[in-house]
Amino acid sequence: MTVRQDLATRQRRRVAVRGVVQGVGFRPFVFTLATGLGLHGQVTNTGEGVTVEVEGHPAALDDFCRRIAAEAPPLAVVESVAHEALAPTGGQGFAITVSRPGGAARALIPPDIATCADCLAELTDPADRRYRHPFITCTNCGPRFTIVTALPYDRAATTMAGFPMCPACAREYGDPADRRFHAQPVACHDCGPRLGLAVPGEPGRTGADALTRARRLLADGAILAVKGIGGYHLACDAANPAAVALLRRRKGRGDKPFALMARELSDIEPLARMGTEERELLTGPVRPVVLLRRRPGGSAVADSVAPRSPDLGVMLPYTPLHTLLLGLPGDPGGPRLIVLTSANRSGEPIVTDDEEARELLAPLADGLLAHDRPIHVPCDDSVVRVCDGEPLPVRRSRGYAPLPLALPLPVRPALAVGGDLKNVFCLAAGRRAWLSGHLGDMGDLATLRAFDRAVGQLGAVTGVEPDLLVADRHPRYRSAQWARRAAAGRPVVRVQHHHAHVAAAMAEHGLDGSGPVIGVAFDGTGYGDDGAVWGGEILLADYDGFRRFARLGYVPLPGGDATVERPYRMALAHLHAAGLGWDADLPCVAHCPPDERRLLARQLERDLNCVPTSSMGRMFDAVASLAGVCQLAGYEAQAAIELEAAAVQHGDTGGGYAFALRPGADGPDGLDGLEGLGGLGGAELVADPAPVLAAVVADLRAGTAAGAIAARFHHAVAGLVGEACRRARERHGLETVALTGGVFANTLLSSACARSLRADGFTVLRHRLVPPNDGGLALGQLMVAARTGPTAVRAGSSRQRDGQPGRS
C-alpha cells in the first residue's frame, strides 16, 4: 500500500478515559498499546482523566478502543471510555504529551500503594542500582494521594517536584519499555529524597548508617519517630515491655491497643490466627492494619501491646523504608516486630510537617528518622478486620482514600462533615462520593485545623464545589459548628445520627431507597430527636425518613463523660433503673468509692444532670462492669472490647439471658413519639434490660465465670435483634436488615446477629466499604440530605435545615 493509499484509509479518534487513570501507569500503557497496533497520535493527562488522540487503520482503532479498558494496568479503574471521530492529520509516531490543566478537576487520583514485588526484589538485590534505596517505587506502587498537590497528575504537581531526576532515572522515565516509564515519584540514591536520623547528643546520620543506628536504638529499647508516607509514626520494640510501657506513658495512650508491624507473615503466625482473607489483606496492595484473633499464650510481644484485647492489630511493611527498618536478611540487630502507632498525643491528628515533628515529638521520641520528601496530605493507617470471610473496615484511610464510592442515586455537589468522633468527611457530586482519610476526634484544635486543610485538599483533587453542607443534629458537635461557620450563605442540613448510619449501610449496598429497611443502629451515643442520648435503635428507614420501631429502654446517664470513663457508674445507673439493689458483693458497687456512691445515689434519685439514654454501647459498659471485666475505660469502647474478649476466650455457652420486648410509652418524661414513614405507624417497642441485669446478678452470685456472663450477654443482644426484626416483618412486611453503628465492629455480635437473621429468612446488610462506626457517618448524611431528582424530598423527611424544626 502506498503512503497516499494508507492516508486515504486512515481514521482518527479522540478517546476520553475516565476513572482511576492517573498515577497508575495508564499513559505508558496507552503508549505501548498504540505503538503495538501501529497507531499514531498522542496521550495526555487532563483534569478529568486521560485523553488520547489516535490515528490509523479502522480495525486497529476498534481493537485499541476495546483493549484500552479490558487490558488496563492493575491499579487502574476504568469507569468509562468515550470516543469521537476527528479528521486525520497524517502525523507519524506516538507521544506522551504535556498534561493539560483546566476545567473541573475530576480525575481520580489513586491511593498510596504498598511496595510491589518487583521493587522489593530490586531493593534486596546487591547488584541493582536501587539496592537498599528507601524510596524505591515504580508505576505500580508507592506514594500517590499523599504527594499530589494539583491535577493533572505529573511530577511537577507532586511533592517530588523538588527532586530533579538524574540522567539514569530520566532515561527510565522516558523509556516505553521500562517499568518506570512516566512514573512520577521515580528516584534513586543519586537524585531522590534523603534519609536522616537525629538523636540528641549524637552526630547526625544519613542513608544506610541512619537505618543501622535506628535498628540498634530500637533493639536497645528506644522510641523512634519515623516519617512514613502519610505522616510520622512512633516505633518501639514490641517484645520489650519497658519500651512499650514508656511509649504508653509518653503518648498518654492508657490501655488502648497498639498496632504492630511485622517483618513477614511467619512472625505473625505464632501470635494470631490468620485465614485466607486476612493473609490477602496483609500482603495485598493496601496493607492495612488487620485485626487478628490472638492465639493463647503468644509470647513474642509484650502483654502491654494490647492488654485484655481479643485481637492484635498487625500489618506488614508497606514502604521500602519500613522494610529496611525491620532489616534485610543478614542485617545486624533490630526487632522483627515493632509497635508502630501514629505520632501524636492521643486524640490529636497525625503529624506530617518536619518542623512540627521536631517540636512536638521531642518529648515522645528518643530519635527522629525522617526524610525530606514533603507530605502534602496526611493519611493515617487503615484498620480492617474480617468477619465471616468478608472485610469489615474499622478505619478507612491509607490505601483506600481518595478512591470514590459509587452512589446508588445522584447527589448535588455537597460536603457532609461527619461526626465528632473518628471524623471522616465526604465530598460528592453526581454519582460519586469521596471520603477523606481518618482525621480523628474533633475536640482538639489541631484536628479542627487539620479538617480545614483536608477539606481544601480533597476539594482541589476532586473539583467538587459544594453548594450544600450536611451535619449531625447534635447541637454541640464541633463538626456541625464548623459547617455553620463555613456555610457562607449555603444551606446547612442536619441529619439524625442513627438515620445517617442506616443510610450509609444502604448506600454502600447500592439500595436506591425505593423501599425501607429495618435498620439496627447500635452505638455509644447519638443525639436523639427527643433530646435523649440514643444508641440502641431499631429503625424503619429509607433515605427520606425513619420511624423508631424499637429501642433499648431508657436509663439515666449520670454526669455524661464521667460515666463513659467509669463504667461502674453506668452499671449502677442500670441497676437503679431496674430496681436492683447496690449490694456490696457486686463488682461495680465494690469499685465505686463510698463518697461517690452516695453522691451518685442522690443524683439518680433527684434526676440531677441525668440525660436519658437508650445506648447499647453504654449497656455493654454496664455489663462489663457488673461482670467484673472492666471498671475504668481509658479509651473509647474499652469496656465493650474487653467484654468481647472475655466472651471469645470462654467460648459459646448458648442462650441464658433475654430482654423483655414490650410496647413502650411515647418517650422519656412523656415526650411525644416520632412521626413515622407513611404506612409504617404503630407504637414503638421498648427492650427492657432489667431481666438481663437480674440474670447477670444471679449468675455472679452463683459463681459463674465472667466469660460465661459475657457470652450469654452477647447471645441476649443477638436474640433481641432477631425478635425485634421478626416483629417488624410481621407488622410491616420488611425483610432487609442493616446492621450498623460502632457496636457492630464487634465481630462476635455481628456474626451471631447475621447468622440468626439469615437463618430466619432475612437479607442482611453489613458494612464492607465504610466503617460501621462514625467513620462511615458522612456517607449516610450525604444520601439523606443531598439527593437530587423528583424523589429527593417527601413528606416526613428527616432532613432539617439550621433554624428549622426537623421531622422524622
Side-chain angles (χ1 to χ4, degrees):
M1 180 182 294
T2 67
V3 173
R4 185 183 299 273
Q5 289 173 324
D6 176 56
L7 291 175
T9 60
R10 273 195 187 191
Q11 293 180 0
R12 187 176 185 89
R13 296 180 194 174
R14 178 181 290 122
V15 182
V17 188
R18 303 290 180 264
V20 183
V21 290
Q22 294 189 19
V24 294
F26 200 84
R27 287 180 299 170
F29 156 71
V30 169
F31 179 97
T32 302
L33 177 61
T35 54
L37 291 170
L39 299 172
H40 310 275
Q42 61 192 34
V43 58
T44 187
N45 282 340
T46 70
E48 295 185 337
V50 166
T51 297
V52 190
E53 290 193 9
V54 64
E55 186 171 325
H57 191 275
L61 289 175
D62 290 342
D63 200 17
F64 176 86
C65 290
R66 178 184 59 81
R67 293 171 62 184
I68 197 170
E71 300 176 10
L75 298 181
V77 179
V78 176
E79 292 190 346
S80 67
V81 178
H83 48 90
E84 60 178 319
L86 299 174
T89 67
Q92 298 293 310
F94 197 91
I96 296 177
T97 62
V98 176
S99 296
R100 296 202 310 262
R106 288 289 171 81
L108 304 184
I109 294 299
D112 304 308
I113 300 298
T115 315
C116 70
D118 289 334
C119 284
L120 282 174
E122 293 170 345
L123 182 73
T124 57
D125 181 2
D128 193 274
R129 75 184 192 91
R130 289 190 177 86
Y131 177 56
R132 293 183 179 271
H133 178 47
F135 310 100
I136 190 170
T137 182
C138 70
T139 56
N140 296 321
C141 68
R144 297 294 190 271
F145 177 48
T146 52
I147 64 171
V148 171
T149 59
L151 289 179
Y153 175 75
D154 278 311
R155 192 179 183 96
T158 73
T159 60
M160 287 297 293
F163 299 93
M165 285 181 279
C166 68
C169 285
R171 281 194 299 273
E172 293 170 334
Y173 183 88
D175 180 0
D178 197 279
R179 198 175 81 254
R180 295 184 172 89
F181 183 42
H182 276 258
Q184 306 308 332
V186 65
C188 69
H189 291 289
D190 296 331
C191 64
R194 294 289 186 266
L195 183 69
L197 175 68
V199 179
E202 295 187 5
R205 292 177 169 83
T206 60
D209 187 32
L211 280 162
T212 299
R213 179 59 180 151
R215 284 196 300 275
R216 185 69 261 163
L217 286 167
L218 289 172
D220 290 342
I223 296 168
L224 291 184
V226 181
K227 186 178 180 182
I229 279 186
Y232 279 83
H233 289 89
L234 294 172
C236 73
D237 182 358
N240 186 327
V244 176
L246 179 62
L247 178 55
R248 284 198 178 281
R249 288 197 302 273
R250 288 183 179 178
K251 191 173 176 182
R253 180 83 173 190
D255 285 338
K256 187 175 183 180
F258 281 128
L260 299 176
M261 180 173 277
R263 184 187 289 188
E264 53 193 39
L265 280 175
S266 61
D267 296 307
I268 304 172
E269 286 169 344
L271 304 175
R273 299 181 178 91
M274 290 182 288
T276 301
E277 297 82 5
E278 286 91 350
R279 290 173 183 271
E280 289 175 352
L281 284 166
L282 285 164
T283 59
V286 175
R287 297 207 174 186
V289 176
V290 182
L291 297 180
L292 304 172
R293 288 292 192 215
R294 301 174 80 154
R295 292 186 187 277
S299 58
V301 298
D303 291 340
S304 54
V305 165
R308 299 177 301 282
S309 171
D311 305 312
L312 281 177
V314 187
M315 57 185 155
L316 292 179
Y318 56 86
T319 72
L321 174 57
H322 292 134
T323 300
L324 295 170
L325 180 62
L326 284 165
L328 301 185
D331 282 347
R336 296 180 65 91
L337 285 158
I338 59 173
V339 168
L340 201 69
T341 184
S342 56
N344 51 12
R345 293 191 183 274
S346 290
E348 296 178 358
I350 191 169
V351 174
T352 58
D353 179 76
D354 295 332
E355 184 175 341
E356 187 179 47
R358 285 188 287 272
E359 178 183 349
L360 295 182
L361 302 183
L364 306 182
D366 301 308
L368 199 74
L369 184 64
H371 55 79
D372 55 356
R373 182 181 67 206
I375 298 170
H376 185 66
V377 181
C379 202
D380 222 326
D381 291 319
S382 293
V383 181
V384 181
R385 66 191 314 168
V386 173
C387 183
D388 298 332
E390 295 184 294
L392 172 62
V394 177
R395 179 198 294 166
R396 184 185 186 272
S397 202
R398 176 187 54 77
Y400 298 102
L403 288 177
L405 298 178
L407 298 178
L409 295 167
V411 299
R412 62 193 286 188
L415 166 63
V417 299
D420 270 20
L421 299 178
K422 298 182 173 65
N423 181 265
V424 170
F425 66 84
C426 180
L427 279 168
R431 286 182 175 264
R432 285 179 182 161
W434 289 265
L435 273 70
S436 71
H438 167 82
L439 291 170
D441 298 344
M442 296 289 278
D444 184 87
L445 180 59
T447 306
L448 289 169
R449 290 172 177 160
F451 185 95
D452 270 326
R453 292 192 298 269
V455 168
Q457 289 160 349
L458 192 58
V461 169
T462 62
V464 175
E465 297 180 0
D467 60 20
L468 173 75
L469 279 72
V470 194
D472 192 273
R473 282 193 185 169
H474 197 297
R476 291 189 297 276
Y477 263 16
R478 292 173 177 86
S479 52
Q481 294 166 4
W482 183 95
R484 285 199 300 271
R485 290 194 304 270
R490 295 171 292 181
V492 178
V493 176
R494 310 292 286 270
V495 175
Q496 201 280 326
H497 190 91
H498 301 95
H499 186 200
H501 272 309
V502 177
M506 293 171 62
E508 74 161 80
H509 283 273
L511 273 64
D512 65 5
S514 57
V517 302
I518 306 167
V520 182
F522 288 172
D523 62 6
T525 183
Y527 186 74
D529 287 352
D530 56 6
V533 176
W534 290 8
E537 313 307 313
I538 298 177
L539 311 178
L540 310 182
D542 58 18
Y543 296 126
D544 289 320
F546 71 92
R547 174 178 175 75
R548 202 178 188 194
F549 178 77
R551 61 171 172 84
L552 193 61
Y554 282 120
V555 297
L557 180 65
D561 289 345
T563 297
V564 174
E565 294 164 4
R566 286 173 265 175
Y568 63 80
R569 291 174 63 92
M570 199 68 241
L572 294 173
H574 262 284
L575 291 174
H576 172 84
L580 298 171
W582 291 3
D583 298 326
D585 62 329
L586 300 178
C588 55
V589 177
H591 199 87
C592 184
D595 288 345
E596 182 181 357
R597 196 161 64 240
R598 283 191 292 272
L599 288 172
L600 182 60
R602 192 174 304 124
Q603 184 178 2
L604 292 168
E605 289 163 3
R606 298 179 181 179
D607 196 25
L608 296 174
N609 192 25
C610 291
V611 179
T613 182
S614 60
S615 168
M616 184 60 78
R618 300 289 78 81
M619 179 77 191
F620 268 81
D621 290 352
V623 174
S625 170
L626 187 56
V629 171
C630 179
Q631 304 298 345
L632 296 173
Y635 62 91
E636 185 190 5
Q638 178 177 349
I641 288 170
E642 293 185 6
L643 191 68
E644 180 189 5
V648 168
Q649 290 163 8
H650 188 274
D652 193 358
T653 62
Y657 307 154
F659 292 83
L661 190 61
R662 56 176 68 96
D666 286 335
D669 303 324
L671 291 173
D672 289 337
L674 302 173
E675 287 192 40
L677 298 173
L680 297 183
E684 69 182 29
L685 299 174
V686 174
D688 182 2
V692 171
L693 295 165
V696 172
V697 170
D699 268 354
L700 280 168
R701 289 176 173 153
T704 303
I709 292 171
R712 290 171 184 172
F713 174 69
H714 280 75
H715 276 285
V717 177
L720 168 63
V721 170
E723 178 60 23
C725 290
R726 281 189 292 275
R727 295 201 195 183
R729 179 170 59 190
E730 290 166 4
R731 192 180 297 179
H732 302 294
L734 303 180
E735 295 188 336
T736 298
V737 180
L739 303 179
T740 187
V743 167
F744 283 107
N746 178 327
T747 54
L748 183 65
L749 178 66
S750 177
S751 183
C753 288
R755 184 170 57 248
S756 152
L757 289 166
R758 286 172 177 151
D760 208 5
F762 287 98
T763 297
V764 180
L765 311 179
R766 290 188 288 180
H767 289 276
R768 294 294 174 261
L769 302 179
V770 301
N773 57 43
D774 285 5
L777 197 67
L779 177 63
Q781 291 174 342
L782 176 86
M783 290 304 300
V784 170
R787 295 180 327 286
T788 61
T791 62
V793 181
R794 287 203 317 244
S797 171
S798 76
R799 303 186 297 176
Q800 171 190 344
R801 288 196 181 187
D802 270 357
Q804 297 178 349
R807 297 193 341 134
S808 298

